[in-house]
Amino acid sequence: MLSVICESPGVLRSEQRETPLRGAGEVLLRVSRVGICGTDLHIFTGNQPYLSYPRVMGHELSGIVVEAEPQTKLAAGDAVYVMPYLSCGQCVACRQGKTNCCVNIKVLGVHRDGGLAEYLSVPAQFVHKADGVTLDQAAMLEFLAIGAHAVRRADVQPKQRVLVVGAGPIGMAAMIFAGLRGGEVTCLDTRADRLAFCASHLDIKTTVQTGAGDADALSKLTNGEFFDVVFDATGNVNAMNRGFEFIAHGGKYVLISIVPGQITFSDPEFHKREATLLGSRNATAQDFETVLDAMRAGRIPDKALNTHRMRLADVPAEFPKLLDPQQTVVKALVEC
């Protein structure tokens, strides 16, 4: 089968490998679509803290069942999506239902080889029928579920003022689900094209471009009170540190981003606000269901989000172009 391997930072190559044999308790899939996300770009550029090379990337995926055990209720020909966070089910987090932050987690495409291949064998408990959605939509569930999870963590309420810093796909997902909960969403980003996309396709009515005067603009929008909930989806340590400044008194700050460094803040400023700081990692089955319900109801602009496509065989040549801001990429899908 054809696979695409990130051999080392900046080096992608195609390779023919043996088609995997289905292991006990696993489902053998013919991979259909793989979404490319920030994690994959970070792997390519050498900025992913949990990874060793070489690695087959790809954790946002949909496929068709080739072979499964009868007790899984999956059958050959079923269209499915994959929850890529392979949790142990036994650790302190899993025992609380927090499988998204399992102590022993293995994420497809990060800790073990992922979906940029024609076939993949995956433990059955992480494979789910993609009823009522297309294979394209099924491959977009994961990044949207990350946003849905962050919004659920923050417990966004109607009419709350919400600031999302970073208008990449994860930030857009947070905007979508904060908006679906009735939050009044503002977006802050460095790129005018991303802000324009959010305004036109996500119905974000208030956007601010990062730069001189941005803090004053955010203050003016909120009568000097700033935001009930702030989400950071930048993956930039300076932006993450700065985000503390935008929390209203009594507000929450949710870090969806991860960086291999230290986050710092002024304790007096944090304390006087009685602010709440939350990490948000991955997503749970509940969050995937939230996204599925919204997709089936036509509330996700998935066709607009999918701005780029490529074939698996073309990934080594085409993938580096996704890093070019001039390409205005939101979500690229690989057709396997």
Side-chain angles (χ1 to χ4, degrees):
M1 68 171 183
L2 178 64
S3 300
V4 174
I5 297 147
C6 188
E7 200 164 60
S8 59
V11 180
L12 290 173
R13 62 179 175 83
S14 297
E15 179 180 282
Q16 288 292 332
R17 290 185 167 187
E18 291 294 323
T19 300
L21 298 175
R22 184 180 66 81
E26 294 190 339
V27 177
L28 179 63
L29 303 177
R30 176 74 163 87
V31 181
S32 295
R33 304 283 188 276
V34 180
I36 300 299
C37 85
T39 296
D40 303 309
L41 299 176
H42 292 153
I43 292 169
F44 181 71
T45 56
N47 294 315
Q48 219 294 333
Y50 298 135
L51 180 125
S52 59
Y53 297 89
R55 181 63 69 222
V56 176
M57 300 184 294
H59 60 276
E60 303 178 6
L61 61 128
S62 64
I64 303 295
V65 173
V66 175
E67 184 182 333
E69 294 176 356
Q71 62 266 34
T72 64
K73 299 182 180 179
L74 294 168
D78 285 345
V80 295
Y81 67 91
V82 176
M83 286 190 62
Y85 327 118
L86 309 187
S87 50
C88 73
Q90 299 173 348
C91 71
V92 60
C94 287
R95 294 197 305 270
Q96 299 175 71
K98 299 179 180 180
T99 55
N100 58 301
C101 57
C102 167
V103 173
N104 305 303
I105 201 165
K106 298 289 185 289
V107 180
L108 292 176
V110 179
H111 302 101
R112 58 175 274 183
D113 284 348
L116 285 180
E118 292 180 301
Y119 293 90
L120 186 67
S121 191
V122 185
Q125 64 265 41
F126 304 106
V127 182
H128 303 272
K129 288 185 180 181
D131 293 335
V133 296
T134 67
L135 288 167
D136 280 3
Q137 289 175 315
M140 299 172 76
L141 286 170
E142 193 269 347
F143 87 88
L144 291 163
I146 290 175
H149 181 73
V151 169
R152 181 164 66 88
R153 287 275 286 155
D155 192 25
V156 171
Q157 297 296 308
K159 302 299 183 183
Q160 281 191 321
R161 292 178 294 211
V162 176
L163 175 66
V164 178
V165 187
I170 300 297
M172 291 183 189
M175 292 178 223
I176 289 167
F177 287 96
L180 290 177
R181 279 179 169 240
E184 298 175 353
V185 181
T186 297
C187 176
L188 175 67
D189 195 85
T190 58
R191 288 174 52 178
D193 63 310
R194 283 284 176 87
L195 296 174
F197 183 97
C198 293
S200 60
H201 295 291
L202 308 185
D203 196 29
I204 302 303
K205 295 180 172 56
T206 310
T207 63
V208 176
Q209 189 167 2
T210 306
D214 57 359
D216 289 339
L218 294 172
S219 176
K220 186 176 180 180
L221 286 169
T222 58
N223 298 315
E225 294 179 340
F226 288 100
F227 295 87
D228 303 299
V229 184
V230 178
F231 295 95
D232 179 89
T234 64
N236 179 288
V237 67
N238 294 325
M240 294 165 81
N241 289 338
R242 189 178 183 228
F244 286 91
E245 301 172 16
F246 305 137
I247 312 168
H249 281 242
K252 299 174 183 177
Y253 189 22
V254 185
L255 299 179
I256 317 175
S257 295
I258 178 170
V259 291
Q262 302 294 315
I263 304 301
T264 61
F265 57 91
S266 165
D267 184 58
E269 290 296 321
F270 186 77
H271 189 84
K272 76 181 184 182
R273 288 168 168 79
E274 198 180 54
T276 300
L277 176 62
L278 295 166
S280 184
R281 186 182 186 193
N282 300 329
T284 67
Q286 177 181 345
D287 304 308
F288 277 74
E289 287 296 330
T290 296
V291 179
L292 277 166
D293 288 344
M295 274 186 171
R296 290 167 183 148
R299 306 181 78 184
I300 306 293
D302 51 272
K303 289 184 179 179
L305 292 167
N306 174 208
T307 55
H308 291 68
R309 304 177 80 88
M310 66 184 75
R311 298 182 307 153
L312 180 63
D314 296 332
V315 168
E318 296 295 319
F319 189 94
K321 299 176 184 178
L322 302 178
L323 293 163
D324 180 4
Q326 297 299 317
Q327 296 293 317
T328 62
V329 179
V330 177
K331 177 58 58 178
L333 290 180
V334 177
E335 298 181 354
C336 301

